[in-house]
Amino acid sequence: MRSFVYFLCCSIGFLVASCHEKIPASDASITIKGSDTEYPLVKHLAEEFSKDHSFAITVSSGGTAEGFKALSMDECVIANASRSITEEEAAFNTKKGHLHSEIVIAIDAIAIITNPKLGIDSLSTLQLARILDGTFTNWKSLGGPDVPIVVFTRNEASGTNAFIRNQFCKQGFPKNSVTVKDNEEVIKKINKHLGGIGYVGSASIREKSGAPSADVWAMNLYIEGSNACSPFQELSVISGEYPLVRPLYQYINDRNNKWVQKFLHFELSAKGQQLVKRYGFYPLTSNYQEQNKRNGFE
């Protein structure tokens, strides 16, 4: 109780202080948990925010589902989510006395990755569906080498897993698919397996320069009758021509916390959106900006 009162006093003191006053990071902090895809982005955003405010923001990963669970258990005040909250998750938060708010902080293009030596540069969404549901089992069926297809997938906590499954294989991935813990492990597995295929947020396969990683190949994708597009083509992603585009969310329990408000405002600011782009994601389009405004954030 003493530490809680101390936190309140520090927060009130900040409001009446000069805007240039520095508040020691040890006096107050907020915790953010959830999406592995969002983790590096939000970690960078938190670090940039803390440079100006000397305020501690702890960011950790574990998957979207784990973020929602942490939110319901008061283990964080913001949950990073690479998919929208389910009715069951929302009901559980409400049961715990939490009324969550939703915000979109960036746009992500999911990359379908293969070994760069495979020799296939594009797939249709129909072909991809038949790979992910187990119909195609060998790359020779798609004009590639006589090599078995091995699907590397994420665990059930992953929002990216849920997105891909709902798009292409609602009955589940092939029985011989291999589950790995995070984007980094997917990339390592694909790099070592000629017949491997997997999915990651495209930002995770960008070099610091912004160029695509040479460790894996990001498939050009197309809907039958349309042009093939890369997840690295900004105009194709923003327009929706690239078929695997999604918003990246945050869910907030304590929107009245002044530090939470300040951080969310920073993420949505021009500087915050420039950082979104710098770290390999795509800034918000007008429709998501309007959506955030309707939810009380701008």
Side-chain angles (χ1 to χ4, degrees):
M1 176 61 72
R2 183 178 300 171
S3 61
F4 177 70
V5 172
Y6 183 57
F7 169 78
L8 288 179
C9 291
C10 289
S11 298
I12 294 169
F14 173 81
L15 294 176
V16 298
S18 163
C19 63
H20 299 291
E21 184 177 355
K22 298 290 185 180
I23 304 297
S26 59
D27 287 354
S29 65
I30 58 175
T31 300
I32 303 172
K33 294 185 177 183
S35 166
D36 291 312
T37 298
E38 286 177 59
Y39 169 72
L41 170 62
V42 177
K43 185 174 183 291
H44 286 307
L45 288 167
E47 289 169 350
E48 290 296 324
F49 178 83
S50 295
K51 287 179 182 178
D52 294 331
H53 297 282
S54 295
F55 179 77
I57 300 177
T58 302
V59 185
S60 61
S61 56
T64 294
E66 290 300 310
F68 287 134
K69 181 180 178 181
L71 198 67
S72 70
M73 303 301 291
D74 288 321
E75 295 173 357
C76 65
V77 294
I78 298 175
N80 290 331
S82 57
R83 60 166 172 80
S84 58
I85 194 168
T86 65
E87 291 184 4
E88 183 179 2
E89 288 164 336
F92 187 67
N93 269 273
T94 301
K95 184 178 180 180
K96 291 287 186 176
H98 299 147
L99 296 175
H100 61 265
S101 301
E102 178 189 277
I103 184 175
V104 178
I105 63 167
I107 295 171
D108 180 36
I110 297 176
I112 302 300
I113 59 173
T114 57
N115 189 290
K117 296 178 181 178
L118 181 66
I120 297 175
D121 79 340
S122 62
L123 290 171
S124 73
T125 52
L126 180 58
Q127 289 172 327
L128 179 60
R130 289 180 174 174
I131 290 171
L132 296 179
D133 70 9
T135 301
F136 288 145
T137 60
N138 194 297
W139 285 108
K140 68 181 180 180
S141 301
L142 297 155
D146 185 4
V147 175
I149 295 172
V150 180
V151 177
F152 290 93
T153 183
R154 295 284 310 285
N155 60 41
E156 292 298 317
S158 165
T160 311
N161 174 299
F163 180 91
I164 293 294
R165 192 174 64 248
N166 289 335
Q167 290 283 322
F168 297 109
C169 49
K170 292 184 179 180
Q171 302 305 312
F173 294 99
K175 291 182 179 179
N176 68 336
S177 62
V178 179
T179 301
V180 298
K181 66 178 181 178
D182 55 29
N183 287 335
E184 184 177 354
E185 189 172 357
V186 174
I187 294 165
K188 288 180 179 178
K189 293 289 187 181
I190 297 294
N191 180 258
K192 293 180 180 179
H193 290 77
L194 179 60
I197 185 169
Y199 51 85
V200 294
S202 59
S204 67
I205 52 172
R206 284 185 188 269
E207 304 289 355
K208 288 184 178 180
S209 64
S213 169
D215 292 337
V216 293
W217 172 255
M219 280 285 174
N220 296 296
L221 296 179
Y222 62 95
I223 298 171
E224 286 69 16
S226 301
N227 294 324
C229 303
S230 164
F232 301 114
Q233 292 175 302
E234 183 172 0
L235 290 179
S236 296
V237 170
I238 295 300
S239 69
E241 187 179 9
Y242 181 76
L244 296 184
V245 177
R246 62 177 174 176
L248 296 179
Y249 301 94
Q250 286 181 333
Y251 288 83
I252 304 96
N253 271 343
D254 189 5
R255 66 183 294 165
N256 293 321
N257 182 309
K258 298 300 181 182
W259 283 112
V260 170
Q261 289 182 4
K262 287 177 178 292
F263 181 60
L264 297 179
H265 178 75
F266 171 75
E267 291 181 306
L268 300 181
S269 70
K271 181 178 180 180
Q273 290 298 294
Q274 287 172 358
L275 291 170
V276 163
K277 190 170 181 178
R278 179 190 302 176
Y279 294 117
F281 296 87
Y282 297 96
L284 296 177
T285 51
S286 58
N287 58 319
Y288 288 119
Q289 292 171 346
E290 289 301 318
Q291 180 177 316
N292 285 337
K293 287 181 181 179
R294 290 194 297 272
N295 289 336
F297 299 103
E298 56 183 304

